[in-house]
Amino acid sequence: VDARQTSLTMLSVDNSSLQGTLQSLARLPSLRFFSAFGNRLTGSLEVLCELKNLVHVDVCDNVITGSIPTCLSSALANAEELRFCQNRLTGKLPELPPSMVQFRADANGLDGPLPLSWSRLSQLR
C-alpha cells in the first residue's frame, strides 16, 4: 500500500491471489471498508485495532492465524460487519461493539461460550 493513499476509505481486493500480512493497512487510517476474502493473507488481525474508522471488514477464506483481538470492541466502536470465517483463528469469541450487525467467524478453531454482552447486540443478525 502506497503511503500517499492515507485518505483511502474503501479497499476491495477479493479473490486476487494476494499473499502477505495485513500490517500495511496501518498506513490507511481513513479506511472504512476493507474486503479481501479469498486470498492467501497470513499473520494476525491485531492491525485492525489501529483502524478506528473501520465499519466493514471481510477477510474470510485466507490463512490468518492467532486470536481475534480483544481490542476490537473498543477500537472499532462503529463497526457493523466483521467477517473472519474460514481462517485459522483460535481462542475465544470476542466482545463486540454495540453497533455490530453481522459477525462471522465460522470454520476456525474458536472455542468457549458466547460472551454475555452479545445478548445486548440488538442489531446482530
Side-chain angles (χ1 to χ4, degrees):
V1 175
D2 188 334
R4 294 172 290 183
Q5 299 299 320
T6 57
S7 63
L8 187 71
T9 60
M10 179 181 171
L11 180 60
S12 181
V13 289
D14 303 328
N15 296 310
S16 298
S17 300
L18 295 177
Q19 297 180 32
T21 70
L22 299 174
Q23 196 56 44
S24 61
L25 291 177
R27 291 183 256 164
L28 299 172
S30 300
L31 198 61
R32 294 182 48 78
F33 179 98
F34 177 64
S35 186
F37 71 79
N39 286 288
R40 291 185 296 265
L41 298 175
T42 59
S44 77
L45 296 172
E46 290 293 328
V47 69
L48 297 180
C49 294
E50 298 176 37
L51 302 171
K52 311 277 188 225
N53 294 311
L54 277 175
V55 173
H56 173 95
V57 177
D58 187 344
V59 291
C60 287
D61 196 18
N62 280 282
V63 285
I64 297 169
T65 57
S67 61
I68 298 173
T70 57
C71 59
L72 287 184
S73 68
S74 59
L76 301 182
N78 297 313
E80 295 176 0
E81 298 181 32
L82 297 176
R83 298 178 187 155
F84 303 143
C85 51
Q86 297 176 314
N87 280 285
R88 296 182 184 163
L89 298 171
T90 57
K92 305 216 176 297
L93 291 167
E95 299 290 327
L96 296 173
S99 56
M100 190 60 52
V101 174
Q102 185 179 73
F103 176 76
R104 288 197 55 198
D106 46 296
N108 280 291
L110 301 171
D111 61 14
L114 291 176
L116 277 176
S117 63
W118 284 25
S119 65
R120 295 186 292 277
L121 298 172
S122 60
Q123 299 180 68
L124 191 64
R125 347 178 213 144

